[in-house]
Amino acid sequence: MSETLKLIKVSEIFSNVSYEVPIYQRNYAWGTDQIEQLIDDIETANSDYFIGNLIVNQKDNNVYEVIDGQQRLTTLFILERYLGMTFSKEALRFEAREKSNRTLAALPDMTQLIEELQSDEIKEGYKIISDYFKKTGLDKTQFIERLHHVNIIRVQVPAKIDLNHYFEIMNTRGEQLELHEIAKANLMGQLTSPKAKKIAKDIWEYCSNMDAYVQMNFPSDKRNQIFTDDWSDLSPKINSFEALEDSYGETSDKEEARSLQDIIDNKPTSTIGKQDETDENERFEAIISFPNFLLQVNEAITRTTDDDASLDDKNLLANLAKNWESETAAKNFFFTLLKARVIFDKYVLKREYARDYKETGKWSLQQLKKYVDYKSRAKPQYLSTFGEEADKDNTNASISNKQLRTLQSALRITYTSPKTMHWISLILASYLKNEEDDILKSLEQYAASKVKDSQYKTKSGFGFDRIVFTYLDYLLYREGFSYQGETIVTPLADDWQFQFRSSIEHFYPQHPSEQTKWPDAILNSFGNLALITVSGNSTFSNAMPIGKASTNPGIIEQSLKLRIMAAMMRKNNNQWTEDLAKEHQAKMFDILSENI
């Protein structure tokens, strides 16, 4: 097995190695069901049992940053501590979570820590393990022997991969449970006519391919039947499921034949991916998965407040259940699903991989429209949703598209878990109801309310919510910023986009190697902080501000706030001082206060 894929015995996973859980990962959260299931799996499995993957990024010799699998890894750490297995107290650490670190280091004897210094989550995990061994009568010595036959594969991500994007994609996809197939069966079960079943099946199948515009998922004959002449929207006559039944033309339940290789490759039976017109399946990447889209549509229909449970895929069946209470309800959901998918493609941003951005991708907010080439062939083209290319004289439309794309990307990198992306259902709800709301204004109000609710003026260090940094950068992008007569940020600059940022950076370092450490109140103040990528934070390390700005200008550019901090330092003889941090905080807080 290669160095990138290493099979490790669970009994040796913490031997001569250290794992770090970065701050952007959630805290330890496994409860009774997950912990007891893991113990049962290990106890009852056959020899040489495999319990999954641990995805890491190697930072140093035998030091690994945990990208995926930290819940299982933390549970194994607690379990092996309970069993009395010996390894370094530093074998597992959480970035910027000292309670967790102190508790892990103290295991198995937490009495050495006062109550206030203990992590409740890790303490509870240890208790669940202890109680389970006691109530089941498991023998510790035999269980340790069992661990010698249990394996995990440690996967090292490629050296040149965009680590931030990699984590975000995994986080976006979530657990791709088959619950949505159960939901489909329940919905389909309410339909009585073969034609209705075929239409519903097509809607589900064509909407499920999230990485292409839904119009292009439909075969050309159906596309021409149900969309406008320019393909940009549903035809005005298609205003209900019944209208689809009247307009859909011939249907057939006959499945297309598939070769053995097709089955091996898991190729679909539909026409998705067979179009001559486009390379969409390689060009675009949706920001949520299809099961999450189903939940977004459901929330848009019944939208009240931001309840994360309504977008949690573990609750998918319970949340969607009302939609298969009757045939009418099922038909309404199928039609709303199609309508919402058109809205989603037009008004919610994607990642686009084309031309200069084919490898890295960029944020894209575009609508699909048909054009006819010189051979009279109908093909798709992609124009800015609010008319940037379609109407070059309409300056306001151009600005609106840039602003909306940038604001949505700010929200996307802030609320990385699909169950927290309530801003998407806000957009869907507005357009499903055919309201003439200013969606840009609505999203600005939504983001501003989140900043206000965070009580940012009372926070410090890692206590600042990410939305405070991202919405501030959006405001700076929208309005621009000047300092001492110099324009530092040009309003609506075309060459700046949000990156996948999740790591809070101290511009003046927390642990300077040579200079005096700042007082905590200034060190951890908003005026000394910025939000950058995890890899950028690692690169900066404990370097002084002038070193960060001079040797890594690309990282400085990740944050407009950080760009301003570097410019202020430059105008102060390249010295970043406590007074400058205070001045910067005051200016940034003024901008936030004016807009929330």
Side-chain angles (χ1 to χ4, degrees), residues 73 114 207 285 299 341 354 424 467 478 552 562 569 587:
L73 183 67
I114 62 174
C207 285
E285 178 183 271
E299 180 173 280
R341 188 51 214 281
I424 296 177
I467 186 63
R478 187 188 74 184
N552 296 283
L562 191 54
M569 177 183 67
K587 290 181 181 297

Side-chain angles (χ1 to χ4, degrees), residues 485-500:
E486 178 185 349
T487 298
I488 309 301
V489 180
T490 303
L492 301 169
D494 287 314
D495 59 348
W496 189 84
Q497 288 202 11
F498 276 101
Q499 298 184 41
F500 291 98

Side-chain angles (χ1 to χ4, degrees), residues 424-443:
I424 296 177
S425 56
L426 187 155
I427 296 174
L428 296 180
S430 177
Y431 285 102
L432 281 172
K433 296 174 183 176
N434 296 315
E435 296 175 349
E436 297 298 325
D437 290 346
D438 183 340
I439 194 62
L440 177 61
K441 182 178 179 181
S442 295
L443 288 180

Side-chain angles (χ1 to χ4, degrees), residues 226-241:
I226 67 176
F227 294 102
T228 55
D229 289 340
D230 66 357
W231 300 348
S232 65
D233 207 340
L234 286 175
S235 170
K237 65 181 181 181
I238 305 298
N239 55 15
S240 66
F241 192 92

Side-chain angles (χ1 to χ4, degrees), residues 163-178:
L163 189 60
N164 310 289
H165 189 207
Y166 182 82
F167 176 77
E168 293 302 330
I169 291 305
M170 289 194 305
N171 208 17
T172 295
R173 297 308 181 209
E175 297 183 47
Q176 291 295 311
L177 305 178
E178 297 303 316

Side-chain angles (χ1 to χ4, degrees), residues 92-271:
L92 178 64
R93 289 186 57 80
F94 287 79
E95 180 186 5
R97 289 178 178 144
E98 288 308 311
K99 274 191 178 182
S100 297
N101 293 333
R102 283 191 290 262
T103 308
L104 288 174
L107 292 174
D109 181 16
M110 283 178 287
T111 60
Q112 58 188 287
L113 282 179
I114 62 174
E115 190 76 20
E116 290 77 15
L117 297 180
Q118 297 180 13
S119 163
D120 292 337
E121 297 84 4
I122 293 172
K123 181 180 176 182
E124 179 62 20
Y126 185 89
K127 184 176 186 301
I128 291 170
I129 292 171
S130 175
D131 290 348
Y132 192 66
F133 268 75
K134 290 175 182 177
K135 75 180 182 182
T136 59
L138 287 174
D139 183 272
K140 287 186 179 182
T141 302
Q142 292 179 1
F143 198 89
I144 291 173
E145 179 60 27
R146 190 76 197 89
L147 291 178
H148 294 314
H149 303 281
V150 178
N151 303 293
I152 193 168
I153 291 181
R154 189 170 66 203
V155 182
Q156 166 65 44
V157 296
K160 295 184 179 180
I161 198 169
D162 183 342
L163 189 60
N164 310 289
H165 189 207
Y166 182 82
F167 176 77
E168 293 302 330
I169 291 305
M170 289 194 305
N171 208 17
T172 295
R173 297 308 181 209
E175 297 183 47
Q176 291 295 311
L177 305 178
E178 297 303 316
L179 296 178
H180 64 285
E181 293 298 337
I182 300 174
K184 175 186 176 183
N186 285 326
L187 288 161
M188 295 284 290
Q190 291 294 333
L191 306 181
T192 53
S193 77
K195 186 170 187 177
K197 288 179 180 291
K198 174 60 171 129
I199 293 172
K201 177 176 176 290
D202 283 353
I203 290 174
W204 190 275
E205 187 170 0
Y206 299 143
C207 285
S208 68
N209 180 17
M210 297 294 292
D211 291 340
Y213 281 68
V214 68
Q215 296 94 318
M216 303 311 300
N217 290 337
F218 279 85
S220 58
D221 59 331
K222 297 296 187 290
R223 188 187 311 143
N224 293 330
Q225 288 170 0
I226 67 176
F227 294 102
T228 55
D229 289 340
D230 66 357
W231 300 348
S232 65
D233 207 340
L234 286 175
S235 170
K237 65 181 181 181
I238 305 298
N239 55 15
S240 66
F241 192 92
E242 289 72 21
L244 274 171
E245 291 179 283
D246 293 339
S247 305
Y248 208 67
E250 295 299 319
T251 62
S252 172
D253 288 325
K254 182 180 178 181
E255 295 288 348
E256 299 174 16
R258 292 192 293 168
S259 68
L260 177 60
Q261 189 61 50
D262 285 342
I263 296 173
I264 292 173
D265 294 339
N266 195 28
K267 292 182 179 179
T269 59
S270 75
T271 56

